[in-house]
Amino acid sequence: MTRDWWKHLILILGVIIVIAPFYMMVSYSFKSPGEIDRGEGGFFGRQELMVDERCVKLRDPDRDDIAVAAGRFPGHSDSDIRDALLAEAQSDCSMRPVIFNYTKAFTEAPLLRYLLNGVIVTASIFFIQVIVALPAAYALAKLKFWGREAVFSLVLFCLLIPVHAIALPLYIMLAKLGLTNTYAALVVPWTISVFGIFLMRQFFMTVPDDLIDAARMDGMGEFTIVWRVMLPTAVPALLAFAIFSIVAHWNDYFWPRIVVTGNRDLFTPPLGLREFKGDGDGSFFGPMMATATVIVTPLIVAFLLAQKRFIEGITLNGMK
Amino acid sequence: MAVIDVSMTDAPRETTVARATQERRAAWALTAPALILMVIVLLAPVIIAGLLSFTNYSLGNSGFDWVGADNYEKLFTRSTYEKMFIATLTYVVTVVPLSVGLGLGAALLINTLGRFREIYKTIYFLPVMATLLAMAIAWEFMLHPSIGMINRTLEATCGTPFEVVPFIANGCADRFPLWLGDKRYAIWVICFIGIWQGFGFNMVLYLAGLTSVHRELYHAAEMDGAKSAWDRFRLVTWPALGPTTVFVVTISCIRAFQVFDTIEAFWPQGGGPNKSTYVMMFAIFEKGIQQNLIGIGSAITMLFLAFVMFLTLIQRWLVERKVHYK
């Protein structure tokens, strides 16, 4: 420890730089606009009651409200009643900054909907990728057929093409089919994971042939073998692939940005955050950072709980 | 599928020829969905982009004209695209060596530690996991010229001995940089965030590579007179990490070429002050999708694909030449 102090010094400096934006994001999501502006309040802010000006404005009493409330304040003049109602609105609209920020995050924009879309899109992508890739990987690894080498070369060639790079022609194809602004557009380009095929093929190569022969003896067809015999053996590899795929698509911003324009019902979390930023004014830093925190948290928490698996999954590429 | 399943139950009675036919049919049935999707989703778009790059096509127009190599000519003559190449290359040439170097440095430091190594590893990996767009917005706040944490911290150093640094002295006398609004700093801020996000990924790969370096090699090197830590690194560690380095550099390059999120988040229009951060992905997005200039967008796409494929092929060639010392 004493001998290594300079190493810790360097590494801790790195930690500060790496953590800084996370610290700021979470901290701002706790603070009131005033505290953010003046840069005070430490990490959690002072959590003093604050008044939501927009909420008060919405409850600004008009003539009818005053007439209705007149029964509650007998013998008072209209302006007194008006003041009393305003005071009520003020107290009803005041809350702790942290609650203000997080409720605003969920009410100003349909954040729950965005999160749900994120789950739907990432889950569909992963399941279709597996349904397409697993049989192909099995055929390439364990079946002898004319053309196998050609198919495998095609897989190797397709590994060279990053889907983001061909976004423009894909967008044109989807636009011609009238599919932009649909879930299909968000999912289709990712349905084929050549990397998944390659990875699963390499994995299946290590599965002993005896296992498959035994299954054939039992009268299983090739299709049944894929799902009943190969799938269970592939669970560890699939788990790593799942993490790889889910992290990539939950965080993806480029592709949703291209195919989803304007239709909020289809926004994925990053798109929702982007829109929030676009129409937010200065006082909305808090709720915006709350939104960012909500979007980033699920993966970070999952990562902290299962670090080994996550690191394995994300660095899968390294197995090539 | 059902046909195959039923007939397979007769397998023991079949001749080997019939069996081979069965297997072939099953194999094609199993690969068909993947094959079809590969052709439609990956190969067709490349061909379409290739063809469209020689036209003046726009979505919504019924027809188009072949314009020959006009689009490519524009790419190499107009100053906008010159800025695009400069921004992209600056980014790649800065981010790749620094994120690989920092990844390696962090891995080497962490690898020699007994305690706390897991904590450092976890923290350095956090940016890789986090949604880049969200973190870009967090960085934008940190870099805010007046209320951002960075300029506040810098202002706090005014009047302290730190002021001997010319940068801080200038900042205190006048004002600290606008960062994202200043064309001198914008691209470097983007590079910094790219490095911040990517070096943990490289570190983890290097840590995995380091576990495969044999202890005996160090002893052997020491006997041969490699006394200093630098000698041990130069003679043993670095060569042993060859395959990892090839991979790490390639993947960092490909990722660096694809930078987009931060730039779109900071400057939705135009690619930064004076187009200083107008990288290729953003150009494809702006020209091809927002301005509907499909021809020019496709030309950039083809150039982009050429870069990425070239890099990957170099990597495969290096790997096949066996940079291994196993």
Side-chain angles (χ1 to χ4, degrees):
Chain A
M1 183 73 198
T2 43
R3 198 166 48 89
D4 287 339
W5 67 269
W6 62 276
K7 290 177 186 167
H8 286 288
L9 192 73
I10 296 172
L11 288 170
I12 286 169
L13 209 67
V15 165
I16 292 171
I17 294 169
V18 167
I19 288 282
F22 291 98
Y23 172 90
M24 198 226 60
M25 178 177 78
V26 179
S27 168
Y28 276 24
S29 80
F30 290 149
K31 290 187 189 183
S32 68
E35 285 168 328
I36 292 173
D37 269 354
R38 294 185 300 273
E40 53 187 35
F43 181 71
F44 290 104
R46 277 190 305 273
Q47 299 301 334
E48 283 165 350
L49 280 177
M50 58 173 276
V51 178
D52 178 2
E53 298 296 343
R54 290 194 196 186
C55 164
V56 176
K57 215 169 259 171
L58 274 179
R59 289 185 42 162
D60 195 26
D62 57 18
R63 206 167 282 281
D64 296 341
D65 292 330
I66 293 169
V68 170
R72 283 198 288 140
F73 303 98
H76 285 75
S77 72
D78 274 7
S79 71
D80 282 349
I81 296 175
R82 190 187 146 78
D83 288 344
L85 281 177
L86 266 181
E88 262 179 23
Q90 292 258 358
S91 75
D92 283 355
C93 285
S94 52
M95 49 182 125
R96 307 280 168 201
V98 58
I99 298 181
F100 171 78
N101 289 340
Y102 281 88
T103 43
K104 277 288 170 237
F106 282 93
T107 52
E108 281 297 299
L111 181 55
L112 268 180
R113 177 72 198 243
Y114 301 160
L115 293 171
L116 184 70
N117 284 340
V119 172
I120 292 173
V121 169
T122 41
S124 325
I125 289 174
F126 173 66
F127 282 114
I128 299 176
Q129 279 177 339
V130 170
I131 289 169
V132 172
L134 214 62
Y138 167 69
L140 287 172
K142 290 295 178 191
L143 298 181
K144 290 179 198 71
F145 61 103
W146 182 87
R148 183 169 80 167
E149 293 310 306
V151 174
F152 190 57
S153 317
L154 190 67
V155 170
L156 288 182
F157 177 76
C158 286
L159 273 175
L160 291 171
I161 308 170
V163 178
H164 278 171
I166 52 171
L168 180 60
L170 277 172
Y171 167 75
I172 296 166
M173 289 163 79
L174 288 166
K176 281 278 156 198
L177 294 170
L179 283 176
T180 48
N181 285 312
T182 59
Y183 280 113
L186 287 169
V187 174
V188 165
W190 308 103
T191 50
I192 176 78
S193 168
V194 267
F195 175 64
I197 296 178
F198 179 79
L199 185 83
M200 297 316 292
R201 177 205 177 249
Q202 301 306 87
F203 182 81
F204 286 154
M205 298 287 269
T206 64
V207 174
D209 286 336
D210 296 347
L211 192 69
I212 297 156
D213 287 336
R216 284 188 189 135
M217 289 295 187
D218 289 348
M220 283 192 196
E222 301 297 328
F223 193 72
T224 327
I225 291 178
V226 172
W227 300 112
R228 289 271 204 73
V229 181
M230 301 309 272
L231 178 65
T233 64
V235 167
L238 273 180
L239 203 63
F241 180 67
I243 291 170
F244 173 82
S245 169
I246 289 169
V247 170
H249 296 116
W250 180 267
N251 289 341
D252 189 21
Y253 172 64
F254 181 67
W255 182 248
R257 178 79 181 82
I258 285 178
V259 285
V260 177
T261 42
N263 185 357
R264 274 176 151 210
D265 287 343
L266 287 169
F267 275 11
T268 56
L271 279 181
L273 179 59
R274 182 71 188 79
E275 197 202 47
F276 207 126
K277 178 179 180 253
D279 56 31
D281 54 48
S283 69
F284 260 56
F285 286 168
M288 191 153 100
M289 286 294 106
T291 308
T293 310
V294 169
I295 290 171
V296 171
T297 304
L299 285 185
I300 296 282
V301 169
F303 165 65
L304 292 177
L305 291 177
Q307 284 175 49
K308 273 233 166 69
R309 291 227 174 269
F310 265 77
I311 289 179
E312 234 173 70
I314 307 290
T315 54
L316 259 189
N317 277 311
M319 287 166 65
K320 267 197 250 191
Chain B
M1 223 58 329
V3 179
I4 297 164
D5 279 358
V6 171
S7 57
M8 288 308 284
T9 54
D10 301 329
R13 273 181 281 126
E14 278 169 12
T15 63
T16 41
V17 177
R19 175 98 190 74
T21 320
Q22 291 291 334
E23 196 166 316
R24 202 185 66 225
R25 270 199 212 138
W28 282 109
L30 293 173
T31 40
L35 264 179
I36 294 168
L37 280 173
M38 255 192 278
V39 171
I40 296 176
V41 174
L42 296 172
L43 295 179
V46 174
I47 295 165
I48 291 174
L51 291 175
L52 288 178
S53 70
F54 295 102
T55 70
N56 61 0
Y57 180 71
S58 289
L59 268 178
N61 288 8
S62 49
F64 57 81
D65 301 314
W66 295 96
V67 295
D70 276 12
N71 290 324
Y72 291 97
E73 206 184 303
K74 274 183 204 156
L75 280 189
F76 292 108
T77 50
R78 297 228 172 137
S79 71
T80 313
Y81 301 113
E82 193 188 322
K83 281 178 181 163
M84 175 183 82
F85 288 121
I86 291 174
T88 313
L89 284 180
T90 312
Y91 184 83
V92 173
V93 170
T94 314
V95 169
V96 173
L98 285 176
S99 68
V100 172
L102 283 174
L104 175 63
L108 288 172
L109 279 183
I110 288 177
N111 202 44
T112 56
L113 293 178
R115 277 191 290 176
F116 305 120
R117 53 179 290 167
E118 289 303 317
I119 298 176
Y120 289 125
K121 195 169 146 187
T122 306
I123 292 175
Y124 287 174
F125 202 71
L126 282 179
V128 184
M129 297 290 313
T131 311
L132 182 56
L133 185 86
M135 297 326 289
I137 291 174
W139 273 113
E140 190 176 6
F141 281 166
M142 307 240 331
L143 293 159
H144 193 287
S146 57
I147 65 167
M149 201 188 263
I150 291 176
N151 278 6
R152 279 222 171 107
T153 313
L154 287 172
E155 275 156 23
T157 61
C158 289
T160 65
F162 283 110
E163 236 186 293
V164 292
V165 182
F167 172 80
I168 290 176
N170 286 339
C172 293
D174 186 12
R175 58 153 192 238
F176 283 105
L178 297 174
W179 301 118
L180 297 179
D182 188 328
K183 67 176 180 192
R184 284 169 304 168
Y185 292 104
I187 184 74
W188 304 114
V189 172
I190 294 291
C191 288
F192 172 80
I193 297 176
I195 297 164
W196 170 84
Q197 205 241 346
F199 87 99
F201 182 83
N202 297 339
M203 173 202 70
V204 165
L205 287 173
Y206 272 122
L207 277 172
L210 281 171
T211 56
S212 64
V213 184
H214 295 295
R215 289 261 154 253
E216 305 92 74
L217 282 174
Y218 290 107
H219 293 304
E222 220 159 305
M223 293 213 193
D224 287 352
K227 290 282 179 255
S228 68
W230 167 247
D231 279 341
R232 282 199 299 277
F233 174 75
R234 189 171 54 90
L235 294 169
V236 181
T237 319
W238 180 246
L241 288 176
T244 312
T245 305
V246 170
F247 175 74
V248 163
V249 169
T250 322
I251 194 132
S252 299
C253 274
I254 294 174
R255 288 159 75 110
F257 265 113
Q258 296 189 37
V259 58
F260 174 81
D261 296 13
T262 40
I263 289 160
E264 212 272 344
F266 294 159
W267 307 280
Q269 251 85 47
N274 198 21
K275 284 207 182 293
S276 57
T277 61
Y278 191 62
V279 294
M280 287 179 92
M281 270 318 229
F282 189 81
I284 293 175
F285 172 72
E286 192 197 60
K287 292 289 163 193
I289 308 231
Q290 289 190 316
Q291 301 179 358
N292 202 2
L293 300 167
I294 307 274
I296 198 86
S298 301
I300 306 173
T301 299
M302 292 313 283
L303 220 56
F304 188 93
L305 278 175
F307 281 139
V308 171
M309 288 193 176
F310 178 65
L311 282 170
T312 322
L313 288 175
I314 288 183
Q315 178 219 2
R316 285 193 192 168
W317 178 70
L318 280 174
V319 170
E320 260 145 51
R321 269 186 58 216
K322 295 264 187 275
V323 223
H324 303 248
Y325 281 76
K326 275 184 194 166

